[in-house]
Amino acid sequence: MNSAPLRLGARTHRFTESVIREMTRLANRYDAINLAQGFPDFSCPEPLKLAACEAIMANHNQYAPTWGDVGFRQAIAEKCQWYLGLSIDPDRNITVTCGSTEAMAATLQAVLDPGDEVILFEPFYENYGPDVILAGAVPRYVRMHPPHWSLDEAELRAAFNDKTRAIIINSPNNPTGKVYTAEELGLIAELCQQWNVLAITDEIYEHITYDGREHLSLATLPGMAARTVVINGLSKTYSVTGWRIGYVIAPADITALIRKVHDYLAIAAPTPFQKAGVAAMQLPRSYYFELGQLYREKRKRFLEILEASGVRTLPPQGAYYVFADIGDFGYHTDVEFSNYLVKEVGVAAVPGSSFFRRAEEGHRFVRFCFSKTEATLEAAAERLGKLRQTLRLAT
Ligand code: PLP
C-alpha cells in the first residue's frame, strides 16, 4: 500500500472557486433574493421556447456538428452583418460553443503557449484569470480607475511587451458597467497592431447600453478584423443562461485552432438549443429596441431602490449590474457586508473583492444584478430598506 498523498497538479491552486456561484448557493441557503449571479429571473422570448420544444420533438437530440449547426451559423452571420457590420463566412469564421464561457476557454487554449502574457482589465469578470492560467499563460493586469473606470494611457502602453500574446476586452463591462469609448478602443487597436497582439472581445452585453451609448465592436476598427476574436452567446441577450449556447467569430486560421480545442473539450454544443438559436437570431430588430427599453426601466428602478437604501452608486453605462460603493456602511470588508446582506437583510450580492487581484481594492464595492422582474425588485426594495438603519449606526 502506498500511503503517500497523491501527487496532483498545482495549477488549480492558483485560483479560487467562483465567488459569484458561491453567493448563489448562500442565497438559496438563507432564502435570500439572489441579486448576485447574473441571470434574468423572467421568461425568455416565446418563439425560442417553441423552437427548442419543436427541435426536441423533431428528434434533434444527437450531437450537432462540432463547429455548430449549419443553419444557426448562417443565422449568426446574418445577424452580425446587420448589427455589427461584420462580414463573416459561417463556414470559416464561426464556432458554436457551450456558452461564451467555453468560447473564452477554448480560444485561450487554442492561441496561448506557456509563459505568454495576456492583458486583463481590472476589475475583471472572474473567469478570465483562471481561463488564462488554465491555458498555461500569465495574466497581466491594467487598472480601470474609479469612479468612472477610466483607463490610463501610460499604464496601458506599459503593459504591452514582447511576451504579450493577447488582450481581453469586455464591453459593456461586468462588473463596472463601463462601455469602452471609441477612443479607448482606438488606443487598444493601435497597441495590438504595434505589438502584434490578438484582441479577444467578450461582447455578451452588446445589446444592453444606456443614455444613448452604442456598442462598438473592436473587430470593426481598421486593421482589427484579422487580429480580433469576438466572443458572444445567447445567455444575456435572449435571457437563456441555462441553455449554454455561445459562439466565437474569428479569422479562418484562428477558427481552425479554436475548433480543434472545442472538439476535444465538448464535441459540440446542445443540438436543440442551437436549432432554437436560429429563432433567436431571426427575432425582429424591434426585439433589441424593446430589450434596451426594458433594461433602461430596470436600471432606473434599481438605482432608485439603492438610493433610498443609502447605497452610493454610479449609474452603469451598459450591462445589467450596479457596482455599488458600500464604504459608508462601516463594514471592514465587502465580504462582511455581503454576509450581513445575505443573512440579515435577505439579499445576495457579490463581494467586490472577487473582481480584483488584491482583496483590499474591492472592499468598498459589491455588485448587484438588476436583471429581475418588477416583483423581485420590489421585494428587494423592501428588504434593502433596512440598510438605512445600518447606515445610521455607522455614521
Ligand atoms: N462573460 C461575461 C462578461 C459575463 O458576465 C458572463 C456571465 O455572467 C459570461 C461571459 C458567461 O456567459 P455564458 O452564459 O455565455 O457562458
Side-chain angles (χ1 to χ4, degrees):
M1 278 273 282
N2 187 344
S3 57
L6 271 177
R7 286 180 297 125
L8 300 171
R11 231 181 336 183
T12 47
H13 295 292
R14 292 180 43 213
F15 53 88
T16 59
E17 273 187 46
S18 158
V19 179
I20 299 178
R21 269 76 82 187
E22 168 62 10
M23 288 313 297
T24 285
R25 290 191 284 271
L26 284 182
N28 293 339
R29 186 180 321 151
Y30 293 104
D31 207 16
I33 298 170
N34 188 355
L35 304 187
Q37 199 170 1
F39 64 89
D41 69 344
F42 44 85
S43 181
C44 74
E46 213 59 22
L48 273 69
K49 291 189 206 173
L50 290 174
C53 292
E54 271 168 22
I56 289 172
M57 294 312 288
N59 292 319
H60 292 298
N61 296 307
Q62 310 309 325
Y63 297 124
T66 289
W67 309 336
D69 178 83
V70 178
F72 184 38
R73 277 186 285 125
Q74 181 64 43
I76 293 170
E78 282 163 18
K79 192 225 155 188
C80 290
Q81 175 74 60
W82 75 254
Y83 182 60
L84 296 177
L86 284 176
S87 287
I88 305 158
D89 178 347
D91 290 330
R92 290 155 39 89
N93 303 127
I94 300 179
T95 310
V96 178
T97 56
C98 299
S100 67
T101 299
E102 194 234 332
M104 181 62 78
T107 301
L108 293 173
Q109 288 182 36
V111 302
L112 298 176
D113 284 323
D116 286 345
E117 286 187 6
V118 179
I119 297 175
L120 303 179
F121 291 99
E122 184 180 29
F124 41 76
Y125 172 57
E126 62 171 0
N127 280 39
Y128 300 151
D131 282 344
V132 170
I133 292 167
L134 286 171
V138 181
R140 182 167 180 131
Y141 297 91
V142 172
R143 296 297 309 272
M144 298 190 279
H145 295 281
H148 297 290
W149 307 107
S150 47
L151 302 182
D152 180 304
E153 182 174 338
E155 284 173 11
L156 182 58
R157 282 188 185 280
F160 281 78
N161 63 61
D162 290 337
K163 290 192 194 143
T164 313
R165 182 67 62 93
I167 179 168
I168 297 179
I169 300 105
N170 170 221
S171 177
N173 185 258
N174 171 11
T176 63
K178 176 185 173 73
V179 174
Y180 284 60
T181 63
E183 291 71 38
E184 288 169 332
L185 292 177
L187 174 63
I188 292 168
E190 177 206 317
L191 290 167
C192 285
Q193 292 176 56
Q194 181 185 336
W195 290 95
N196 198 14
V197 160
L198 179 72
I200 304 172
T201 63
D202 179 341
E203 304 186 18
I204 191 119
Y205 299 104
E206 64 180 342
H207 287 284
I208 308 175
T209 57
Y210 306 107
D211 306 323
R213 287 188 182 78
E214 286 194 4
H215 173 65
L216 176 63
S217 184
L218 185 61
T220 59
L221 267 57
M224 290 308 287
R227 61 174 66 252
T228 304
V229 173
V230 178
I231 285 180
N232 214 325
L234 301 188
S235 285
K236 314 289 177 172
T237 303
Y238 307 98
S239 305
V240 286
T241 59
W243 283 14
R244 313 309 304 128
I245 299 290
Y247 55 89
V248 191
I249 298 167
D253 51 341
I254 303 177
T255 294
L257 305 180
I258 294 170
R259 285 177 173 181
K260 272 204 278 184
V261 178
H262 163 65
D263 191 0
Y264 289 115
L265 280 179
I267 301 181
T271 307
F273 298 130
Q274 292 196 53
K275 295 279 181 201
V278 177
M281 293 295 148
Q282 291 177 348
L283 285 171
R285 295 183 192 196
S286 58
Y287 171 76
Y288 303 98
F289 177 76
E290 283 157 20
L291 185 80
Q293 191 69 27
L294 180 82
Y295 276 113
R296 275 191 287 284
E297 281 160 22
K298 291 194 183 303
R299 180 184 77 146
K300 182 169 177 289
R301 179 71 193 110
F302 194 59
L303 289 173
E304 283 165 6
I305 292 170
L306 289 182
E307 197 186 322
S309 314
V311 181
R312 275 198 281 149
T313 62
L314 188 76
Q317 301 173 341
Y320 52 48
Y321 306 98
V322 174
F323 205 44
D325 189 328
I326 44 118
D328 293 340
F329 286 91
Y331 282 83
H332 288 303
T333 70
D334 55 319
V335 174
E336 271 179 39
F337 179 82
S338 301
N339 282 338
Y340 159 74
L341 204 61
V342 73
K343 290 180 195 168
E344 310 294 333
V345 177
V347 172
V350 181
S353 53
S354 60
F355 303 97
F356 291 89
R357 249 168 326 157
R358 283 186 292 276
E360 57 277 16
E361 305 210 25
H363 283 171
R364 289 181 67 86
F365 300 104
V366 297
R367 190 198 76 175
F368 293 98
C369 169
F370 58 84
S371 173
K372 304 295 164 190
T373 59
E374 191 57 25
T376 306
L377 293 179
E378 286 318 310
E382 202 169 301
R383 295 186 184 193
L384 287 169
K386 283 191 205 164
L387 279 176
R388 276 243 166 245
Q389 276 171 316
T390 320
L391 194 59
R392 265 201 301 277
L393 293 177
T395 49

